[in-house]
Amino acid sequence: MTDDREHAAITAFAAAMCEPDAPARIRDDLPTYLAEHGVDPADREILARHREQLLVYRAMVHSRLRGVIAEYLPRTAAILGKPRLQRELTAFMAERAPHSVYFRRVPGEFLAWAAPRWHLDDTLPAHLVDLASHELLDQEVHDSVAGGEAASGLPLALERPVQLDGSVRLRRYAFAVQRSEDPPTRESTAILAYRDRESLRLRLLELTPRAAALCAHLLAGAALQTALTDTCTDCGEVMSDEFLAAMASFLADLGDRGVLLGAAS
Amino acid sequence: MSVPSDLSLRSAPAPTGVGLGLRGSFMAEVDAGAADGRVPFFEISPENHMHRGGARPARLARIRERFPVLTHGLSMSIGGLEPLDADYFATLREFLAPFGDHWHSDHLCFCGVDGKQLHDLLPVPFTAASARRLAARVREAADRLARPMAVENISYYLPLGVPSVDEPEFIAELLERADCGLVLDVNNVFVNATNHGFDARAWLARIPLARVVQLHVAGHEFWDDVEQTLIIDTHGAPVRTEVDELLAWVIERTGPLPVLLERDNNIPALPELLAERDRLQAVYDQALARRELAAGGQP
């Protein structure tokens, strides 16, 4: 076999794993399918004798990918059901397919592809993307390489940004998917997620709108004064004593949790 | 057939006996001491640990202090058509640094094309041209990782085109050209022998055993329990006695090696897995005793 033949055989094999109509075409007329993918006639002949095995490979690849998606997004997968999840996976494989070498990242790649489609699909629950994003948040925070950093030792200062633990994530949902209600309530929700420094477990905080706005600005690297001012603007509030007291209390709580580590160095 | 110089120089002292693949489902137990004194080494797949924070890095570091750890990758795509992934190799090289000078291994397969990762071990053509191409990639991998490479024979369920050489010849050619080691998976040999109708021992007899740096054993299952025409290397069942026999056959000829029990699906509780390891260790020890006897020594 020449290098060109090897190239064609490998490429055709991979296409058989990804193309949505491949199973039907493999069953109907494998030699023609392979010919269309440039496979050498002699190689087509031997591959055509292993049609069932080629289909087994495809089933194994898809089953493994479907399995890791269901493992990381269990509630999402249960809502979709196996047939629909397989259809989604088939479309994902055709249009995008995983690109990361890390198997555990397949669910995130899948969701990034699926979310815009699911938002537009009236046959799916409106909360599905929020739910899937929330399920994936667990993995994202758990696996975050950042987190547990030493505190800068600098006191908070209005003119400086703050140092937050590297595992912190802010998520906004249209549904309260973090609660156990099924189906979840339609309720604009903001969640601060972080990895506890001692137990290394995921912790979640439901935030008020102004706490969420403040976190968003601080995570974006704004100085504390700017973050407070912009939070007021976002929330249509004035910087009253009540507002400042509430934000000070919130920041103190984050400090107690090991989420807020002081001023950025 | 000479033993590759890099391997003999840089990998000593390699662990021997039957070790376990370290899996997330029982990593905390191992960290807590549940396998102390029971396992001569663990093997990890770096891809399951790279770019990962949380409890895992410290847990792995503690385990590494108590056990030798060998590394066996999943995503190198030695048979792939695209250039080796520079980012992946840079991260892998950094990850492997604390693990000593042992070889790093991966599979004789491709994992995807055009940037798509199919996350499975997919077959490569058995041709002289393919052996040359893959050997060059193995050499490049060893250079990039700055450590010896070893490659593993996979289970394959179809021939990817007309073979110009058979699998033993393909592997021997590749090993020689790449000057690398072989992680000989005897369960894969059994699976392939059963599915493709060849004699597993005759196959093994044609493999350059001096290149074998490690063995893998695992369980397999029928694709279809009713038809039972195809067995799949699922790593989801106990090791069968036929595979024990192949393990013993090799150890009688090579002497002490690290042997890995792989379990990736239907993973039992750690005590059950350790019991299977013990059973395989007895198979291994008996094979070594027979080797001693055959050499005229005391068992």
Side-chain angles (χ1 to χ4, degrees), chain A residues 96-158:
Chain A
R96 171 70 185 166
H99 278 61
S100 171
V101 297
Y102 304 105
F103 188 50
R104 66 180 182 277
R105 291 186 178 170
V106 168
E109 292 185 284
F110 171 72
L111 181 57
W113 167 86
R117 296 161 47 97
W118 292 355
H119 275 305
L120 300 174
D121 190 335
D122 292 338
T123 68
L124 293 172
H127 67 272
L128 192 64
V129 172
D130 280 355
L131 175 63
S133 301
H134 190 63
E135 290 191 298
L136 206 58
L137 181 62
D138 193 343
Q139 177 202 16
E140 186 178 336
V141 172
H142 260 124
D143 288 353
S144 171
V145 174
E149 295 85 0
S152 68
L154 300 173
L156 291 181
L158 287 171

Side-chain angles (χ1 to χ4, degrees), chain A:
Chain A
M1 185 183 283
T2 66
D3 286 348
D4 286 346
R5 280 178 64 178
E6 180 185 9
H7 191 285
I10 288 175
T11 302
F13 188 101
M17 303 299 106
C18 296
E19 292 179 350
D21 61 347
R25 299 207 54 207
I26 289 168
R27 284 191 194 94
D28 290 348
D29 188 355
L30 179 53
T32 299
Y33 179 78
L34 295 170
E36 288 174 6
H37 287 80
V39 177
D40 181 88
D43 297 332
R44 293 201 299 257
E45 187 181 331
I46 194 167
L47 279 166
R49 295 203 294 268
H50 295 82
R51 183 179 63 180
E52 293 307 317
Q53 289 88 337
L54 188 58
L55 292 168
V56 165
Y57 266 113
R58 177 168 169 120
M60 287 195 302
V61 167
H62 282 233
S63 172
R64 189 166 152 75
L65 296 172
R66 197 176 61 238
V68 74
I69 291 167
E71 179 186 344
Y72 282 93
L73 309 176
R75 293 170 65 192
T76 305
I79 288 170
L80 287 169
K82 187 175 173 182
R84 177 65 191 261
L85 177 57
Q86 179 55 53
R87 289 201 299 277
E88 295 292 318
L89 177 64
T90 299
F92 171 61
M93 294 300 286
E95 294 179 18
R96 171 70 185 166
H99 278 61
S100 171
V101 297
Y102 304 105
F103 188 50
R104 66 180 182 277
R105 291 186 178 170
V106 168
E109 292 185 284
F110 171 72
L111 181 57
W113 167 86
R117 296 161 47 97
W118 292 355
H119 275 305
L120 300 174
D121 190 335
D122 292 338
T123 68
L124 293 172
H127 67 272
L128 192 64
V129 172
D130 280 355
L131 175 63
S133 301
H134 190 63
E135 290 191 298
L136 206 58
L137 181 62
D138 193 343
Q139 177 202 16
E140 186 178 336
V141 172
H142 260 124
D143 288 353
S144 171
V145 174
E149 295 85 0
S152 68
L154 300 173
L156 291 181
L158 287 171
E159 71 280 9
R160 300 183 72 109
V162 303
Q163 181 193 9
L164 294 164
D165 184 84
S167 68
V168 169
R169 303 287 188 276
L170 178 65
R171 290 287 184 274
R172 294 178 189 276
Y173 306 129
F175 291 81
V177 288
Q178 76 282 6
R179 298 180 199 147
S180 55
E181 305 152 342
D182 187 18
T185 310
R186 183 184 284 275
E187 178 184 327
S188 183
T189 303
I191 296 290
L192 184 81
Y194 66 97
R195 192 170 60 217
D196 184 84
R197 297 169 82 85
E198 289 188 8
S199 70
L200 300 178
R201 293 183 182 280
L202 174 73
R203 295 283 183 260
L204 300 174
L205 291 175
E206 275 190 51
L207 301 182
T208 61
R210 56 191 184 182
L214 180 64
C215 282
H217 292 301
L218 293 175
L219 281 165
L224 183 54
Q225 173 76 61
T226 306
L228 289 164
T229 304
D230 290 349
T231 296
C232 284
T233 304
D234 293 347
C235 300
E237 298 196 37
V238 294
M239 201 174 298
S240 63
D241 288 348
E242 184 277 331
F243 174 83
L244 288 172
M247 292 300 97
S249 174
F250 173 60
L251 293 174
D253 181 49
L254 292 184
D256 291 343
R257 294 171 179 275
V259 172
L260 177 60
L261 303 173
S265 55

